[in-house]
Amino acid sequence: MFRDNLGTGKTYFSTASQYNIDRNENLNLALECIDGVILAPGDTFSFDKTLGERTAEKGYKSAKVFSGGKIIDAIGGGICQVSSTLYNAVLRSNLDVLERHNHSFIVTYMPAGYDAAVAYQAIDFKFKNSTNWPIKIQGRTTDANELVITIIGTNENPGKTVEFYTQLVKTTEFKTIYIDDPQMAEGKTVIKQNGINGYVVDTYKIVKQDGKEMNRYKI
């Protein structure tokens, strides 16, 4: 029933500081929630429902998240790396994506156009088992600091493959904004947040049969 590797997503994480160690705790907790999940044909997977609320009581740590145009600390920060890695496994498995959102800023672990942001009860990542057989999600980390998510099932058409590429459409350079603070000494400046350029990218899926391109979609 689970004889074939349908698609794999892989990203890398750091263990260089206590911040990253805490963030990795969140990755592992999220990975434990999705590892082993089985979807029957037609079933829908919801990242939000599978993980539930991310709380300190469940063991989640505080780490960086994007919120309201700012980078802040919040419980469960970093788990979007898990949803994004899963999204890439889903893409390569050629499954139907029902809900996916990009981040408000670019992420370091994934090229632009391939991320999947999540926020509890706000934005979700959902996909459907659009195959005729059950599928299973497998998640793991390696000693090489790899986060690997694979979807296994039954490949009824081994000659059918999917490829992806992104095209940069536009770059928007960030602007520096100065805010006067009467409580600071004259001439002193403090950087509240570094600027980040904005990007518009188009991501395409190319479906091939026995090496010949059959369809091309902008996803």
Side-chain angles (χ1 to χ4, degrees):
M1 191 179 297
F2 304 115
R3 68 186 188 191
D4 299 316
N5 178 341
L6 301 182
T8 296
K10 181 167 67 175
T11 55
Y12 294 87
F13 56 89
S14 174
T15 55
S17 65
Q18 184 60 50
Y19 164 77
N20 284 312
I21 292 173
D22 289 344
R23 182 179 182 276
N24 295 341
E25 285 286 332
N26 297 339
L27 299 186
N28 286 321
L29 287 172
L31 206 57
E32 288 175 4
C33 289
I34 68 172
D35 179 43
V37 169
I38 295 174
L39 300 175
D43 281 356
T44 294
F45 173 92
S46 163
F47 195 88
D48 218 30
K49 289 183 179 180
T50 302
L51 267 66
E53 187 175 4
R54 281 69 91 175
T55 65
E57 288 74 20
K58 292 181 178 179
Y60 287 97
K61 307 292 186 181
S62 180
K64 302 295 182 185
V65 300
F66 302 149
S67 177
K70 297 181 180 180
I71 302 174
I72 64 172
D73 290 314
I75 297 295
I79 64 167
C80 290
Q81 182 168 351
V82 178
S83 58
S84 295
T85 308
L86 176 61
Y87 174 54
N88 279 255
V90 168
L91 288 179
R92 284 154 180 78
S93 302
N94 202 28
L95 302 174
D96 291 346
V97 176
L98 304 180
E99 181 180 351
R100 173 260 173 186
H101 306 269
N102 60 277
H103 286 82
S104 54
F105 298 120
I106 58 173
V107 296
T108 58
Y109 51 79
M110 188 72 70
Y114 294 98
D115 59 312
V118 291
Y120 183 63
Q121 292 186 332
I123 56 175
D124 198 0
F125 169 56
K126 297 179 181 178
F127 69 92
K128 177 181 178 181
N129 177 7
S130 47
T131 76
N132 295 315
W133 298 85
I135 60 173
K136 180 190 288 188
I137 302 172
Q138 294 182 325
R140 61 187 176 91
T141 57
T142 72
D143 293 337
N145 289 3
E146 299 170 315
L147 192 159
V148 183
I149 297 178
T150 299
I151 296 177
I152 58 175
T154 301
N155 187 352
E156 295 183 290
N157 187 355
K160 186 177 182 180
T161 59
V162 289
E163 300 174 2
F164 300 88
Y165 82 94
T166 56
Q167 181 179 19
L168 178 62
V169 177
K170 183 176 68 173
T171 300
T172 305
E173 295 187 359
F174 70 85
K175 297 178 180 180
T176 301
I177 299 174
Y178 292 94
I179 302 172
D180 289 329
D181 187 344
Q183 297 182 353
M184 287 179 59
E186 185 175 351
K188 182 180 179 181
T189 59
V190 174
I191 298 176
K192 295 188 68 176
Q193 180 173 306
N194 290 314
I196 301 173
N197 286 342
Y199 302 94
V200 177
V201 298
D202 288 338
T203 305
Y204 292 88
K205 178 171 74 171
I206 304 167
V207 180
K208 294 184 177 181
Q209 182 65 46
D210 300 319
K212 180 181 179 181
E213 182 174 331
M214 305 301 292
N215 291 293
R216 181 176 296 228
Y217 308 93
K218 187 171 77 170
I219 61 172

